[in-house]
Amino acid sequence: MKNFVSHSLEETSAIASKWLAGVFAQAAADQAMVVALNGQLGSGKTTFVQSVARALGVDDAVTSPTFVIMKKHKLVGTSHFKSLVHIDAYRLENGSDLGALEFEDIVADPGNLVLIEWAENVKSGLPADIEKIDFEYVSENERKISFAV
Ligand SMILES: Nc1ncnc2c1ncn2[C@@H]1O[C@H](COP(=O)(O)OP(=O)(O)O)[C@@H](O)[C@H]1O
Ligand SMILES: [Mg+2]
C-alpha cells in the first residue's frame, strides 16, 4: 500500500498523476479497469477524479455525477484508455442498480477506465479484485490517499 498525505489541490493532483502512472501497467486486455474510490463525504474522491481527468487531457467539466450517477468522458490521444467513466453510487442502493447503467457493457470494454465513488453501495455488482483507492479527511486542507498500484 502506498500512503500519501495531500495538503492542497495541487498535491492531490500530483498524487493522482502518480497513481495513473502505475495503473496503466495493471490494465487488462479484455476488460475495463474498474476502480473503487472509498471514503467519507468531502474526503476528496471527486477532486481526485477531476485530477485524473485533467491528467488524461479531458477538457469538459468533471463535476460530481451524484445526480446523473454516471458521466463518460472521451479521451483523445492517450495510449491505452479511450474513455474515463465516472460513476457516483451515492444514491444507489445495491449492485443490481448498476444494471440501469448498462454496467456490464462498460466493464466488457478494455478501453474504459471506470472510477466509482461510493463503490461500497454497489459492491455486489462489481467485478472481483478491482483496484481500490482509500480517501480520508484529516483536516480542512489535508487528505490521506492510499492505493496499491
Ligand atoms: N488536499 C486536498 N485534496 C483534495 N481536496 C481538498 C484538499 N483540501 C481541501 N479539499 C477540499 O475538500 C473537498 C473535497 O470534496 P470532494 O472531492 O467533492 O469529496 P468527495 O467526492 O469525497 O465527497 C473539496 O471542496 C476540496 O476543495
Ligand atoms: Mg464526490
Side-chain angles (χ1 to χ4, degrees):
M1 206 69 165
K2 291 174 190 149
N3 299 294
F4 299 89
V5 176
S6 162
H7 304 85
S8 65
L9 298 182
E10 291 69 30
E11 284 186 23
T12 290
S13 189
I15 294 163
S17 293
K18 254 184 216 147
W19 176 79
L20 202 50
V23 91
F24 286 116
Q26 305 293 319
D30 60 344
Q31 67 164 23
M33 166 73 56
V34 181
V35 185
L37 310 186
N38 301 314
Q40 64 190 116
L41 199 68
S43 60
K45 301 180 295 298
T46 300
T47 302
F48 189 91
V49 177
Q50 288 166 338
S51 298
V52 168
R54 235 175 290 121
L56 290 173
V58 172
D59 53 17
D60 43 330
V62 180
T63 51
S64 172
T66 300
F67 296 100
V68 294
I69 313 291
M70 180 170 83
K71 271 195 174 177
K72 196 167 180 176
H73 303 277
K74 281 228 156 19
L75 304 175
V76 284
T78 51
S79 53
H80 186 87
F81 298 113
K82 304 284 178 264
S83 294
L84 172 66
V85 181
H86 183 191
I87 296 175
D88 189 334
Y90 185 66
R91 282 146 52 92
L92 301 185
E93 279 168 11
N94 56 60
S96 61
D97 290 343
L98 291 171
L101 306 177
E102 295 177 348
F103 189 69
E104 278 183 26
D105 294 343
I106 292 167
V107 173
D109 183 346
N112 287 334
L113 172 60
V114 187
L115 304 183
I116 310 179
E117 299 187 47
W118 299 100
E120 59 269 33
N121 285 0
V122 291
K123 202 163 187 251
S124 67
L126 299 177
D129 297 326
I130 59 174
E131 297 296 330
K132 289 188 183 68
I133 309 176
D134 293 323
F135 296 84
E136 224 178 287
Y137 180 102
V138 181
S139 66
E140 189 177 351
N141 292 310
E142 286 177 301
R143 302 290 184 276
K144 228 186 248 177
I145 304 173
S146 315
F147 48 80
V149 298

